[in-house]
Amino acid sequence: MKRRTFIQAMISVGTSSLLAENSRAEHNKVSLRFLRPPAALAEDEFLSRCIRCGKCGEVCPNRCIQYFDLENGLSSMDTPYIIPRDKGCILCMKCGEACPSGAIPPVAREMHTILDNVHMGKAVVNEELCLSFQGKTCGVCYRACPLQDVAIRVGRLEQPHVLKDCVGCGLCERACIQIPQAIRIIPDYERAKT
Amino acid sequence: MSWTLIQRHLNKLRWLVLSLVFSMLILLPFLHLYQTYAAAHAYDLLSPMEKTISDSMEWLTKPFIKDPATDLNQVKGTTWSATLFGVKVSDPLAVVGHVAADKQIYIPFLVTALIPIILTMVLGRVFCGWICPATLLYELNDNLAAWLRKAGLPVSRHKLDTRLKYLVLIMGIIISALSGITSFAAMYPPAIIGREIYYAIALSGFGAGMVFFLLTLLFDLMVTRRGFCRYVCPGGALYSLLGRFRLLRIKRDVTQCNDCAKCNVVCQFGLDPLRDDFSQECNNCTACIAVCPTDALSFTLNIKDQAFQGAGHMGHLHRKKESESE
């Protein structure tokens, strides 16, 4: 084989594998449901601000912050994420203090500052899976919530109702005793807060 | 103890500092694990391995701290960005990449890089030689290359152009600006090392960055001596530029020099102390000072290198010239 043909072949293999990688990442983005750390900026801004120092995870007392490898594409490599079913965020707001580059702005650990600045997502109850909606009093999600009666309230038979102030910390999803979980956080990457 | 004697042993001090920084990078993830165990208040639920970590870290830190949750937060992070007793210190390269990617300047972050920038302007590429956790591994790697060379293998013999790394720096800035992502984080060995050690100890294991770092080790071993630091590293390029007019330099005392050329052999950056050529690449590692048999090399405060002073007065070249002129 000539050297030129060999080099051309190598380049085409490399680019095609990169493209395949990217398309896989795009596909993953739909199915991979993750949260950014509390008070993180909107996704695009977050990615350009984050310098991948890993300090947010290093100060997290709950060890809920993990880091992407390549599973969410090259752009998310080494950025922090939280899988709420594994471990929810306890809203200690230490990651914001530790972040040097403002990707996670510092937010005081007060009720009103957290409600104003943290929009990780919003909890959604699947009534077909939820025990309380099936007549078996449960209420675990309500008890796990750090913002009881602000973010979630319970009605008859401890049926959970998520309010508009839910910040999406994921502790309810972590605590849900149903498999699969009846309450899930739908991430809000644009920080639109609906 | 004279100043010359101290300078002769500075290289040992440098190895001590390098090892200390590296061991801190290993210790900090363990301390973080200990913090989370303490925060969970569930010692009896830990696995035997986790109990060992918890016990040993408790033993290590007990004399210094009261409450692990708050007191151990004083020292966090890596050399890429660290918090040291409430002061955040970041790598200037992180700031450059961040500004390029974000296209705006975040002042609190800029401030965190001030201390390293000032230190670099005074001391030159001192980060590369004295602090960088990758340097420790690269120097050990270079020792391995020396053994292989002694065994007769043709390893790391090539030379490239040192200006290549400025190109990498500029390309990195352009890529960061176009993609909106700090690209340096993925190709700067000290950042990778700090992260990967943390991943390996506190999280699931080494990531893709480690593969890249092993490739750079292989590049150094096979292609060119300390190749990544000299020819590719964008941080090295930035520090070289910042330290171009550094105050602290090594100079050759021509009356003491005997032209033995040991300094040129020991210099891993391939510089030419024998001909007074240190340039902006020198990282003040002091290896040449340590090896010099006549103490001709020493630190000096000057913003410019000396021009070539000719053959050393103790060497045979100079003697020959003298005898000819007589």
Side-chain angles (χ1 to χ4, degrees), chain B residues 93-201:
Chain B
L93 188 69
V95 177
V96 170
H98 171 265
V99 170
D102 203 33
K103 286 145 204 110
Q104 54 183 334
I105 294 169
Y106 183 65
I107 301 292
F109 187 38
L110 206 65
V111 171
T112 61
L114 272 185
I115 298 173
I117 287 176
I118 292 169
L119 280 182
T120 309
M121 284 166 77
V122 177
L123 304 175
R125 281 181 77 169
V126 79
F127 172 85
C128 303
W130 287 69
I131 298 165
C132 175
T135 293
L136 183 79
L137 300 177
Y138 282 137
E139 292 208 0
L140 292 175
N141 190 41
D142 192 65
N143 290 354
L144 177 66
W147 286 342
L148 292 179
R149 217 175 288 127
K150 229 178 234 171
L153 290 171
V155 291
S156 60
R157 297 189 308 177
H158 300 274
K159 278 207 164 182
L160 305 172
D161 194 332
T162 49
R163 285 173 296 183
L164 188 65
K165 63 175 174 294
Y166 303 105
L167 194 69
V168 174
L169 177 67
I170 291 165
M171 285 304 289
I173 290 174
I174 293 172
I175 292 173
S176 300
L178 289 180
S179 64
I181 290 155
T182 311
S183 61
F184 294 124
M187 59 179 181
Y188 185 47
I192 294 172
I193 292 279
R195 265 199 316 260
E196 295 294 330
I197 291 176
Y198 173 71
Y199 292 171
I201 293 170

Side-chain angles (χ1 to χ4, degrees), chain A residues 62-80:
Chain A
N62 194 31
R63 268 176 87 196
C64 63
I65 297 181
Q66 293 169 292
Y67 291 90
F68 279 124
D69 200 18
L70 285 169
E71 61 265 48
N72 198 35
L74 270 177
S75 61
S76 288
M77 192 177 160
D78 298 316
T79 52

